[in-house]
Amino acid sequence: EANLPSGEPRAAPTMFRGLSTLARLTPAALAAPAVALCDEKSARGALADLIDKSEARRGDGTSLGPTMVRLAWHSAGTFCAKSGTGGSDGGRMKYCPESAWGANAGLADVRAVVEKVAQDHGLSRADAYTLAGVVAVAHMGGPEVPWAAGRSDAADGSTSPPDGRLPDADKGSLGGTVAHLRAIFYRMGFDDRDIVALSGAHALGRCHEEASGYWGPWTFAETTFSNEYFRLLLAETWTLKTTHNGRKWKGPDQFEDSSGKLMMLPSDVALLWDKTFRAYVILYSKDEEQFFKDFSRAFGKLLALGTKQNAGGGGGPLDGLRKLFGL
């Protein structure tokens, strides 16, 4: 589980503050009531407060922030550019079948608290799912990610796409896993650079055996967004995990560093195995500023996938994001 940095959340760049203002000023005929009444600033503050309170309550260096990133990622990462199905509009993960997918295990609790923020601050559920990831990335020290309100909420899961659209950690071989990653991300309209940049969210959080079968964090700073994931990929020697707490490891294949305290999934190690992917891993390990820039662009594009124009001919705030990302 990618539980994919502190202080008050930073203001969005001017262009996106403009889009957010447009979301609030859009006439009721052009936007759902929840969006027209949206108080984005207070919603951002409430989401940041949830992260801070969870960190203080846990007292172990973890927080709800990385799980918010994973929630946002998985709510949008079902998009298919060819069919136009899936994506972040609808907030369908609330319902079966998406809520029951193995890839979404462990997300029920964070959905509940984020949905409460949506109710309290006039957001649609779908907007809140994605905004949570945007706030979490910035709050944990990462870049500002472009975002605008305007998503609607589905009444049930009847329009959910088929299972299998989110990336798997292992396809049995490094070559097979590389091919799988490309199939998953190319389907959404991403390229190899985007694949590696988005994988950098594994700087956050950890895997939990009860959710995915895998165990452990990718880095020693689970609530700090940085390029540490890429640095560790290259600097450490990653070997197959064979033991855990003195006993034989019975979980799926994963890799560990020499200390046994850090892990990498087969899909992470696959980024080293493929020459094109590896070149971007090297780039981001040396240049955090470039990583932040590329991640912000790719994650913003991801969260806008599957959104529809507002009724009445478009022109809503999400249209600005679609034009920015060429959607």
Side-chain angles (χ1 to χ4, degrees):
E1 174 189 348
N3 281 349
L4 312 200
S6 338
E8 290 298 315
R10 294 170 239 166
T14 302
M15 175 173 63
F16 301 108
R17 288 204 300 271
L19 290 174
S20 300
T21 301
L22 180 58
R24 292 192 291 274
L25 297 180
T26 301
L30 298 182
V35 175
L37 298 174
C38 167
D39 185 348
E40 181 189 326
K41 182 178 179 180
S42 67
R44 284 176 176 264
L47 290 165
D49 191 49
L50 283 173
I51 296 171
D52 289 339
K53 287 181 177 178
S54 68
E55 186 167 17
R57 184 175 62 252
R58 294 178 182 185
D60 60 359
T62 69
S63 78
L64 199 59
T67 315
M68 287 182 173
V69 177
R70 180 171 168 241
L71 172 66
W73 211 118
H74 285 208
S75 73
T78 59
F79 184 68
C80 174
K82 183 177 181 180
S83 67
T85 57
S88 64
D89 193 56
R92 292 174 291 258
M93 199 198 298
K94 179 180 178 67
Y95 307 110
C96 282
E98 289 186 46
S99 62
W101 290 350
N104 291 332
L107 291 177
D109 289 345
V110 72
R111 284 199 305 269
V113 295
V114 169
E115 286 167 16
K116 181 63 166 56
V117 171
Q119 293 169 4
D120 291 346
H121 299 277
L123 275 72
S124 68
R125 179 180 67 248
D127 276 342
Y129 286 173
T130 51
L131 182 60
V134 170
V135 170
V137 167
H139 200 62
M140 294 185 287
E144 291 288 349
V145 174
W147 181 90
R151 296 163 188 79
S152 60
D153 288 337
D156 54 42
S158 60
T159 57
S160 286
D163 195 2
R165 289 191 177 183
L166 294 169
D168 290 333
D170 187 9
K171 283 299 182 182
S173 68
L174 290 177
T177 302
V178 165
H180 168 72
L181 288 174
R182 286 197 167 107
I184 291 290
F185 284 89
Y186 287 6
R187 186 202 69 227
M188 293 187 279
F190 291 110
D191 60 21
D192 287 354
R193 189 180 189 120
D194 298 326
I195 294 172
V196 180
L198 289 170
S199 296
H202 280 175
L204 304 172
R206 62 170 53 222
C207 289
H208 300 271
E209 287 182 80
E210 65 273 18
S212 64
Y214 298 98
W215 176 89
W218 287 270
T219 76
F220 287 116
E222 298 178 41
T223 58
T224 299
F225 195 94
S226 70
N227 67 341
E228 184 69 355
Y229 164 78
F230 299 111
R231 190 192 70 78
L232 288 168
L233 258 179
L234 292 166
E236 295 291 335
T237 298
W238 300 97
T239 58
L240 276 173
K241 183 178 182 67
T242 58
T243 61
H244 185 64
N245 292 333
R247 298 182 179 181
K248 182 179 179 180
W249 171 247
K250 296 182 179 180
D253 283 352
Q254 67 175 72
F255 296 83
E256 64 181 8
D257 71 335
S258 58
S259 73
K261 296 179 180 179
L262 297 179
M263 63 87 68
M264 290 287 170
L265 299 169
S267 55
D268 299 312
V269 174
L271 300 182
L272 298 177
W273 186 83
D274 181 85
K275 291 183 179 180
T276 303
F277 288 162
R278 185 184 181 92
Y280 291 119
V281 171
I282 294 171
L283 170 65
Y284 296 146
S285 73
K286 296 178 178 179
D287 192 339
E288 186 175 71
E289 182 178 354
Q290 186 64 58
F291 164 52
F292 276 27
K293 179 180 178 180
D294 289 354
F295 179 86
S296 174
R297 176 188 52 77
F299 197 49
K301 175 179 176 178
L302 173 68
L303 300 184
L305 293 177
T307 57
K308 298 178 177 64
Q309 291 187 4
N310 292 329
L318 278 167
D319 291 336
L321 289 186
R322 279 188 289 272
K323 291 176 182 177
L324 175 68
F325 297 125
L327 300 175

